[in-house]
Amino acid sequence: MDEKKLTPKAENYSEWYNQLVQRAELADYAPVRGCMVVRPYGWSLWENIQATLDQRFKATGHVNAAFPLFIPMSFMEKEKEHVEGFSPELAVVTIGGGSELEEPLIVRPTSETIIGHMYAKWIQSYRDLPVLINQWANVVRWEMRTRLFLRTLEFYWQEGHTAHATAEEAEAETLQMLDVYTDFAINEAAVPVIPGCKSESEKFAGAVRSYTIEAMMGDKKALQAGTSHNLGQNFAKAFDIQYLDENNTLQYCWTTSWGLSTRFIGAIIMTHGDDQGLVLPPRLAPIQVVIVPIFRKDEEQTLVMAAVERVKHELSAFRVKVDDRTEVTPGFKFNEWELRGVPLRLEIGPKDVANHTVALARRDIPGREGKSFVSQEGIADTVSSILEAIQINMLVKATQFRDENIHQPQNYEEFKEIIAADGWCYVWWKQSVENEARVKEDTRATLRCLPLEQPGGKGRCIFSGEETTEKAYFARAY
Amino acid sequence: MDEKKLTPKAENYSEWYNQLVQRAELADYAPVRGCMVVRPYGWSLWENIQATLDQRFKATGHVNAAFPLFIPMSFMEKEKEHVEGFSPELAVVTIGGGSELEEPLIVRPTSETIIGHMYAKWIQSYRDLPVLINQWANVVRWEMRTRLFLRTLEFYWQEGHTAHATAEEAEAETLQMLDVYTDFAINEAAVPVIPGCKSESEKFAGAVRSYTIEAMMGDKKALQAGTSHNLGQNFAKAFDIQYLDENNTLQYCWTTSWGLSTRFIGAIIMTHGDDQGLVLPPRLAPIQVVIVPIFRKDEEQTLVMAAVERVKHELSAFRVKVDDRTEVTPGFKFNEWELRGVPLRLEIGPKDVANHTVALARRDIPGREGKSFVSQEGIADTVSSILEAIQINMLVKATQFRDENIHQPQNYEEFKEIIAADGWCYVWWKQSVENEARVKEDTRATLRCLPLEQPGGKGRCIFSGEETTEKAYFARAY
């Protein structure tokens, strides 16, 4: 651990982020440009994300499988928009076992093509449908500007790929998975995302319609935190995914895909982090409670450690770490666990032993206000309700921050001022690829989403003045 | 599901294996030569293997992380034996983002080099040791002759990589992890492996000493099912993994690595499978119990399905599948679930409803002997003890088969006869790289391991006649 203070967020947000990720030992740079090493603390956070998402996937009828890393180059070319979208970002294997390959292999940037190929083989009849498969995998996209977790050459994600008999079922699946992501983000990560539809220019290469959950980071930039795509029959036609229906007629399937990646760790860091470091939501934190014993003399140590062990035992339902290092001071430990975002710290010293108490410090409320003394009696219940309170408080704070920074400009001049000050704009929007491009050119803001929840009624497009029934969010984004 | 019978094991073992893997929907061939798709049923088996191993790793103090897929070519060249061992098998990325790369990247065949590089950066002092990290990952080795699960270009595994302050600690770690693998194989997979040490010619490229668990397949060939390597200071010196000891002197670390892969699924298939298909050990089976309702008329259906639901509810502690398809016959279902190796089948028909009974069929005991009728009363306890009995019986059967096929020839002529008939030889052996090569040339058998458990005493080497204190296993192997 590096003892230096983090660069304050207000001074240099991007520097703050980079320092935090490395000093909290979430991730490190790999020797290959743009690749990362996810360190044990970061991976443990990802494992908690995986566990809770996987449970939701299985509860909605999905199963896991594993499809190959390598995809024949020719597969990519079968879906026109798909290859256009991904070909600038491909890593290509040209040599295998010492020889030049006849057909180069690409390292998967996403798996619609190879999974489409297998589905064509597996699906024969309507009885085989729906196919509801997910995989937890690594993918590679040759990005030029990279940032740990947010954009790396290799990243980790889950990608769900489903095939259905009807357009309606495919759309329902796409929305169901968006809903799963929304629920996960809000209730597990305390990240108040806005679910919505992408515009034509922002949708996935090869999709009919892309949905997204959009989050606001601490610097007010938007971050796309998960996506769910209705692929229509585009991939089914490119890969011949067909089935015999009940009337024995050959039909093309309707497919979907949806993914959430290690990028989400970036969303957690930037939604909740402060100048002291990470602030992790209790439900996902690798360590929920850290216990720091405090003593000076040997006889104190014995008494204090006995109380610490007793309390730790009481807290066996939680993820608890006892920091019993003797080579560093309690103050050093406080800073370290604050940097690492542990939601709740317990301190136990000789006075606490005498009084049968424990000193608590909440990570989400800095300074005195977050501190209290509680009885060792019923400590498990106390910790349980405080962790729950922290989880809720984090969501409330993040939601307030988000809502304070969403504005409703009355005209395009105001729109530009808000974006220039890094706010989000929530505006009436008449869909137009050209106008969206002009807004982007003027302001560097993109259309983040047309939210699922619409106010109803009509208004005039902020840019064109045309009448429209839809509102959209615009913001600068990661 | 394919209704045709499997080719019997005795007729063509390899054909039996290939058919079984595909028809049981464990895996399928990918469109890229030598790559596989692990289908949901196979992946679910792997997930159960992962869960139980991961628990053991964590219980022994290890944590998970994720290191990059791509390794700079120059890294491989830093450890001489390592590069010699792996360079013929490498997949090489030469193009990224549309441009030729300055330094080609290899797709990891194993991660000692890149992890060594990171450890050199992370480890400063004796206080940082030991480092005990594992990763669950995909790796690529450009194999020429491939077989689903047993040898594929891409496969899935876990690789543990640890760094220690002393040679003794590294050796203890290496043996501890071998012990974890042995315990897992015997007690979870019912695969009676023999733990031992590899000879000089069979050890891992770059290791000081390699340990292995060796299993006997149904065709009596040996399969290396997991390995644990003491790397000495070879990688520490190649990658400068150094620490300051308590006297402030710079020392090289001692490192280990250990891995177990999806190959183990091949070991389970070939240890337990029979002519009807897979036989899965209850502790790892994706489906432990299948319930097949049996009825003809509509009024029967209602009664039977009510009983089925009741029994299913009672069995909520187990992984249960109710096969309620109406388009196929019960007989078809029996065959299918036998093919897929479900340990226990329950049948419930109108008579069972009337008698408050359930018909049971054990997968490990074919025919009448494996069938019985039991009361619906206390069905959870009944199922629990039968699953336990199946688990034990599978281990006993596999151990008997193994022991019947291990022979102790008195001279090299007998040795050759036994190997020609596909048996294993357990013989006194005086270690010699040259003699081992000659045995391999004569018989195609390799030295599988020098078992940890040695008989003691002395004997004369089966090949050279020299006096020796060690015994070894020889066999033809996958």
Side-chain angles (χ1 to χ4, degrees):
Chain A
M1 224 264 313
D2 196 325
E3 273 184 89
K4 284 176 305 198
K5 278 224 165 247
L6 291 173
T7 296
K9 287 159 75 169
E11 195 179 307
N12 186 336
Y13 196 79
S14 143
E15 193 52 36
W16 167 84
Y17 178 84
N18 291 338
Q19 287 176 4
L20 177 49
V21 168
Q22 286 178 85
R23 292 202 202 151
E25 298 188 351
L26 291 171
D28 202 349
Y29 292 104
V32 173
R33 183 194 73 81
C35 290
M36 69 174 162
V37 176
V38 185
R39 299 188 69 170
Y41 195 59
W43 194 254
S44 177
L45 178 55
W46 182 239
E47 284 181 334
N48 291 343
I49 293 172
Q50 286 185 303
T52 189
L53 278 176
D54 202 67
Q55 198 177 31
R56 285 169 165 81
F57 297 158
K58 284 173 178 163
T60 44
H62 301 84
V63 288
N64 291 331
F67 293 87
L69 178 68
F70 295 144
I71 301 178
M73 185 65 106
S74 59
F75 276 39
M76 288 303 286
E77 288 152 12
K78 290 194 183 181
E79 214 292 331
K80 199 176 138 287
E81 287 185 12
H82 195 65
V83 68
E84 277 173 19
F86 282 102
S87 61
E89 297 185 354
L90 299 178
V92 187
V93 175
T94 59
I95 297 171
S99 315
E100 189 103 359
L101 301 180
E102 279 182 35
E103 182 181 4
L105 298 174
I106 63 156
V107 183
R108 63 178 167 219
T110 180
S111 303
E112 280 76 8
T113 58
I114 194 144
I115 293 180
H117 174 89
M118 297 311 297
Y119 281 7
K121 187 173 165 187
W122 296 340
I123 297 168
Q124 312 293 333
S125 130
Y126 69 95
R127 291 194 196 278
D128 300 325
L129 296 173
V131 174
L132 306 171
I133 296 181
N134 174 62
Q135 76 172 353
W136 292 95
N138 52 347
V139 286
V140 171
R141 296 179 187 175
W142 210 266
E143 304 278 2
M144 282 303 127
R145 298 177 57 199
T146 61
R147 188 81 84 76
L148 291 171
F149 291 122
L150 297 177
R151 184 166 272 119
T152 48
L153 256 62
E154 181 190 13
F155 60 90
Y156 306 91
W157 76 347
Q158 59 68 217
E159 47 179 327
H161 294 268
T162 69
H164 306 265
T166 67
E168 293 68 34
E169 264 187 53
E171 179 69 6
E173 167 78 9
T174 313
L175 286 168
Q176 173 185 246
M177 299 325 287
L178 187 75
D179 198 45
V180 162
Y181 290 153
T182 307
D183 175 59
F184 154 76
I186 294 174
N187 295 314
E188 304 286 338
V191 173
V193 294
I194 296 174
C197 193
K198 284 284 177 195
S199 65
E200 198 57 24
S201 12
E202 296 282 332
K203 71 176 197 198
F204 178 74
V208 166
R209 208 162 25 257
S210 284
Y211 295 95
T212 176
I213 50 172
E214 296 286 324
M216 184 188 287
M217 302 297 95
D219 61 352
K220 298 178 249 164
K221 277 198 197 159
L223 185 118
Q224 175 180 303
T227 48
S228 184
H229 312 293
N230 185 334
L231 306 174
Q233 294 185 316
N234 292 348
F235 285 88
K237 286 186 176 161
F239 289 90
D240 266 322
I241 315 176
Q242 290 183 292
Y243 73 97
L244 281 172
D245 71 11
E246 302 195 35
N247 307 316
N248 235 25
T249 311
L250 212 51
Q251 304 274 7
Y252 283 107
C253 287
W254 302 81
T255 69
T256 85
S257 68
W258 29 276
L260 186 146
S261 76
T262 35
R263 188 170 218 227
F264 202 93
I265 293 178
I268 291 173
I269 297 168
M270 291 197 290
T271 299
H272 303 300
D274 64 20
D275 286 346
Q276 272 59 58
L278 271 179
V279 183
L280 292 176
R283 298 230 178 107
L284 297 177
I287 300 171
Q288 296 174 306
V289 180
V290 64
I291 309 180
V292 180
I294 295 170
F295 52 79
R296 294 192 191 187
K297 307 175 229 104
D298 277 357
E299 59 269 37
E300 280 180 10
Q301 179 169 2
T302 316
L303 278 170
V304 166
M305 287 311 295
V308 164
E309 285 305 317
R310 224 169 33 240
V311 169
K312 186 193 169 189
H313 183 76
E314 294 280 322
L315 298 179
S316 60
F318 306 93
R319 297 185 287 272
V320 177
K321 161 104 188 161
V322 172
D323 187 352
D324 54 5
R325 287 176 295 175
T326 51
E327 71 270 20
V328 292
T329 63
F332 179 95
K333 294 179 187 179
F334 296 171
N335 287 337
E336 176 164 335
W337 297 115
E338 278 174 15
L339 175 67
R340 296 183 133 214
V342 174
L344 187 58
R345 182 178 76 229
L346 308 191
E347 302 158 24
I348 302 180
K351 275 193 186 162
D352 300 299
V353 173
N355 300 338
H356 208 64
T357 55
V358 172
L360 301 183
R362 282 175 64 157
R363 180 64 184 89
D364 62 321
I365 306 178
R368 290 230 169 151
E369 264 182 88
K371 296 215 171 92
S372 58
F373 289 90
V374 301
S375 170
Q376 285 176 32
E377 214 68 56
I379 188 71
D381 288 341
T382 309
V383 164
S384 172
S385 49
I386 294 180
L387 289 178
E388 192 50 33
I390 294 173
Q391 182 84 29
I392 290 166
N393 182 46
M394 287 176 69
L395 179 62
V396 168
K397 278 207 319 204
T399 309
Q400 274 173 356
F401 178 81
R402 182 196 71 184
D403 292 345
E404 280 163 15
N405 290 293
I406 295 177
H407 305 280
Q408 304 200 36
Q410 295 308 306
N411 55 53
Y412 191 52
E413 282 312 304
E414 275 181 44
F415 179 102
K416 286 194 280 189
E417 283 164 28
I418 291 162
I419 297 289
D422 282 326
W424 285 28
C425 288
Y426 178 52
V427 291
W428 291 106
W429 184 254
K430 176 77 178 176
Q431 291 207 46
S432 151
V433 171
E434 296 72 33
N435 292 348
E436 222 179 293
R438 286 167 66 186
V439 169
K440 191 173 176 183
E441 213 184 290
D442 285 352
T443 64
R444 290 188 291 122
T446 46
L447 197 165
R448 302 316 305 157
C449 70
L450 301 139
L452 292 192
E453 206 174 291
Q454 287 284 342
K458 291 177 197 174
R460 299 218 163 258
C461 175
I462 193 81
F463 189 81
S464 69
E466 294 165 276
E467 198 171 74
T468 176
T469 58
E470 283 183 312
K471 290 196 91 167
Y473 289 97
F474 279 85
R476 290 182 184 158
Y478 277 94
Chain B
M1 222 261 315
D2 194 326
E3 273 186 88
K4 284 177 306 193
K5 279 224 163 248
L6 292 172
T7 295
K9 287 160 75 169
E11 196 179 306
N12 186 336
Y13 195 80
S14 142
E15 194 50 36
W16 167 84
Y17 178 84
N18 291 338
Q19 288 177 3
L20 177 48
V21 168
Q22 286 179 83
R23 293 203 200 150
E25 297 186 351
L26 291 170
D28 202 349
Y29 292 104
V32 173
R33 183 195 71 82
C35 290
M36 68 174 164
V37 175
V38 185
R39 299 187 71 170
Y41 194 59
W43 194 255
S44 177
L45 178 56
W46 181 240
E47 284 181 333
N48 291 342
I49 292 172
Q50 286 187 303
T52 190
L53 277 175
D54 203 66
Q55 197 178 31
R56 285 169 165 82
F57 298 158
K58 284 173 177 163
T60 45
H62 301 84
V63 288
N64 291 332
F67 294 86
L69 179 67
F70 295 145
I71 302 178
M73 185 65 106
S74 58
F75 276 39
M76 289 302 287
E77 288 152 11
K78 290 194 183 180
E79 214 291 332
K80 199 175 139 289
E81 286 185 13
H82 195 65
V83 68
E84 278 174 18
F86 282 102
S87 62
E89 297 184 356
L90 299 178
V92 187
V93 174
T94 59
I95 297 171
S99 314
E100 189 104 0
L101 301 179
E102 279 183 35
E103 181 182 5
L105 298 173
I106 63 155
V107 183
R108 64 180 165 217
T110 180
S111 303
E112 280 76 8
T113 58
I114 194 143
I115 294 181
H117 174 89
M118 298 311 297
Y119 281 9
K121 187 173 166 188
W122 295 341
I123 296 169
Q124 311 294 334
S125 129
Y126 70 96
R127 292 192 197 278
D128 299 324
L129 296 174
V131 174
L132 306 171
I133 296 181
N134 174 63
Q135 76 173 353
W136 292 95
N138 52 346
V139 285
V140 171
R141 297 180 186 174
W142 210 267
E143 303 278 1
M144 283 303 127
R145 298 176 57 198
T146 60
R147 187 83 84 76
L148 291 171
F149 291 121
L150 298 178
R151 181 165 275 119
T152 48
L153 255 63
E154 181 190 12
F155 60 89
Y156 306 91
W157 77 346
Q158 58 66 219
E159 46 179 328
H161 295 268
T162 69
H164 306 266
T166 67
E168 293 68 35
E169 264 187 53
E171 178 70 5
E173 166 78 6
T174 314
L175 285 168
Q176 172 184 249
M177 300 324 289
L178 187 75
D179 198 45
V180 162
Y181 289 153
T182 307
D183 176 58
F184 154 75
I186 293 174
N187 295 315
E188 303 286 337
V191 173
V193 294
I194 296 173
C197 193
K198 283 284 179 196
S199 65
E200 199 56 27
S201 12
E202 295 283 331
K203 72 175 196 201
F204 178 74
V208 166
R209 210 164 22 258
S210 284
Y211 295 94
T212 176
I213 50 172
E214 295 286 323
M216 184 189 286
M217 301 295 96
D219 61 352
K220 298 179 248 165
K221 276 199 196 157
L223 185 117
Q224 175 178 305
T227 49
S228 185
H229 312 293
N230 184 333
L231 306 173
Q233 293 184 316
N234 293 347
F235 285 87
K237 288 186 174 161
F239 288 89
D240 266 322
I241 315 175
Q242 290 183 294
Y243 72 98
L244 280 172
D245 69 13
E246 302 196 35
N247 307 316
N248 235 24
T249 310
L250 210 52
Q251 303 274 6
Y252 283 106
C253 287
W254 303 80
T255 70
T256 84
S257 69
W258 27 276
L260 185 146
S261 78
T262 35
R263 189 171 217 227
F264 202 93
I265 293 178
I268 292 173
I269 298 167
M270 291 197 289
T271 298
H272 303 300
D274 64 21
D275 287 346
Q276 272 60 56
L278 269 180
V279 184
L280 292 176
R283 299 229 177 107
L284 298 177
I287 301 170
Q288 297 175 306
V289 179
V290 63
I291 308 181
V292 179
I294 295 171
F295 51 80
R296 292 191 195 188
K297 308 175 227 104
D298 276 356
E299 60 270 35
E300 279 179 11
Q301 179 169 1
T302 315
L303 278 171
V304 165
M305 287 311 295
V308 163
E309 284 306 317
R310 225 169 32 239
V311 168
K312 187 193 169 190
H313 182 77
E314 294 278 321
L315 298 180
S316 59
F318 306 94
R319 297 186 286 272
V320 177
K321 161 105 189 162
V322 172
D323 187 351
D324 55 5
R325 286 176 294 175
T326 50
E327 72 269 21
V328 292
T329 64
F332 180 95
K333 295 179 187 178
F334 297 172
N335 288 336
E336 176 164 333
W337 297 114
E338 279 174 15
L339 174 67
R340 294 182 136 216
V342 174
L344 187 59
R345 182 177 77 230
L346 310 191
E347 302 158 21
I348 303 180
K351 276 194 186 162
D352 300 300
V353 173
N355 301 335
H356 210 61
T357 55
V358 172
L360 300 182
R362 282 174 64 157
R363 180 64 184 89
D364 62 320
I365 307 179
R368 290 229 169 155
E369 264 183 87
K371 296 212 171 94
S372 57
F373 289 90
V374 300
S375 170
Q376 286 176 31
E377 213 67 60
I379 188 71
D381 289 341
T382 310
V383 162
S384 172
S385 49
I386 292 178
L387 288 178
E388 192 51 33
I390 294 173
Q391 183 83 29
I392 291 166
N393 182 45
M394 286 176 70
L395 179 61
V396 167
K397 277 207 321 205
T399 308
Q400 274 172 358
F401 178 80
R402 181 195 72 184
D403 292 345
E404 280 163 15
N405 291 294
I406 295 177
H407 305 280
Q408 305 201 34
Q410 295 308 303
N411 54 54
Y412 191 52
E413 281 313 304
E414 275 182 43
F415 179 101
K416 286 193 281 190
E417 283 166 26
I418 290 161
I419 297 292
D422 281 326
W424 286 27
C425 288
Y426 179 52
V427 292
W428 291 106
W429 183 254
K430 175 78 179 178
Q431 290 208 46
S432 152
V433 172
E434 295 74 33
N435 292 347
E436 222 178 293
R438 286 166 68 186
V439 168
K440 191 174 176 182
E441 212 184 292
D442 285 353
T443 65
R444 289 188 291 123
T446 46
L447 197 164
R448 301 318 303 160
C449 72
L450 301 138
L452 293 191
E453 205 176 292
Q454 287 285 344
K458 291 177 197 174
R460 299 214 163 262
C461 174
I462 193 81
F463 189 83
S464 70
E466 293 166 276
E467 198 172 74
T468 177
T469 58
E470 283 183 312
K471 290 195 92 168
Y473 289 98
F474 279 85
R476 289 180 184 159
Y478 277 94

